[in-house]
Amino acid sequence: KAGVTQTPRYLIKTRGQQVTLSCSPISGHRSVSWYQQTPGQGLQFLFEYFSETQRNKGNFPGRFSGRQFSNSRSEMNVSTLELGDSALYLCASSDQGTDTQYFGPGTRLTVL
Amino acid sequence: KQEVTQIPAALSVPEGENLVLNCSFTDSAIYNLQWFRQDPGKGLTSLLLIQSSQREQTSGRLNASLDKSSGRSTLYIAASQPGDSATYLCAVRPGANSKLTFGKGITLSVRP
């Protein structure tokens, strides 16, 4: 099976813009989780979608949003970008959400 | 609130040494615990998943143990190799449908 894929791999944006990141899970996986990774804060949970429903949500402002489609592909959107949003954004998929998490390579977002 | 701690933040050992990486968590009521490896700039690779009812899991040169009562897990790496150099993260899932909480990781360097 193909692994988790994320597009794009790299993004450069300026403050105030918005961005959409995409994640395609492993075939058959229904759970997709998103994480933000920064050197200072480490890995922080953004949200999890299971069968198109948001099941868990982390402590991020409303500028961060996501959705999941019927084919389990997921997108996350960040509006009104801030410098502090520069990070590696990782998504992970699993079958039930409670078992082994498989991560994609990440999208490196730089906000100038 | 579950907190996961990994100390030390960095470790350097000579090739061939057996080593133990530690992970501690504050709430012993966990669903499962997972160990990951991350190479620089890359996504996470799952190494081992331990369910709450299990005491240990093994994969090749890796062995992970879980002691819920003391809030600790260890990852044992036998006969370390330079290719083992990476950041190792542990993550705890408190409940069946709850989010993973990650430690900040231990950056391991194995010297030839």
Side-chain angles (χ1 to χ4, degrees), chain A residues 35-100:
Chain A
Y35 298 85
Q36 181 195 68
Q37 187 176 35
T38 59
Q41 298 297 318
L43 264 164
Q44 292 188 289
F45 174 79
L46 282 156
F47 27 68
E48 180 203 1
Y49 287 89
F50 184 82
S51 295
E52 301 180 65
T53 301
Q54 187 180 84
R55 186 157 71 175
N56 284 297
K57 188 176 187 305
N59 297 322
F60 278 80
R63 300 185 297 108
F64 292 81
S65 63
R67 60 178 175 168
Q68 187 178 32
F69 302 96
S70 59
N71 62 359
S72 293
R73 190 178 70 85
S74 177
E75 290 182 346
M76 67 163 281
N77 184 77
V78 188
S79 62
T80 319
L81 284 166
E82 300 177 359
L83 295 178
D85 297 333
S86 295
L88 180 66
Y89 289 87
L90 295 162
C91 83
S93 78
S94 65
D95 185 16
Q96 295 292 331
T98 56
D99 48 10
T100 300

Side-chain angles (χ1 to χ4, degrees), chain B residues 16-97:
Chain B
E17 190 163 301
N18 301 324
L19 57 103
V20 172
L21 306 180
N22 293 307
C23 170
S24 61
F25 46 94
T26 54
D27 189 341
S28 61
I30 68 169
Y31 186 79
N32 60 34
L33 182 146
Q34 197 166 356
W35 281 93
F36 296 88
R37 166 188 173 138
Q38 185 175 30
D39 293 289
K42 303 287 181 65
L44 280 66
T45 300
S46 178
L47 298 173
L48 291 163
L49 173 74
I50 310 177
Q51 301 292 351
S52 63
S53 58
Q54 299 174 322
R55 295 300 301 269
E56 64 179 317
Q57 283 284 344
T58 298
S59 176
R61 294 182 295 108
L62 306 178
N63 175 277
S65 68
L66 174 63
D67 183 346
K68 288 191 303 179
S69 62
S70 65
R72 293 186 62 186
S73 176
T74 61
L75 179 67
Y76 174 83
I77 303 176
S80 58
Q81 304 169 357
D84 295 329
S85 298
T87 297
Y88 291 81
L89 300 101
C90 74
V92 171
R93 189 182 299 278
N97 290 321

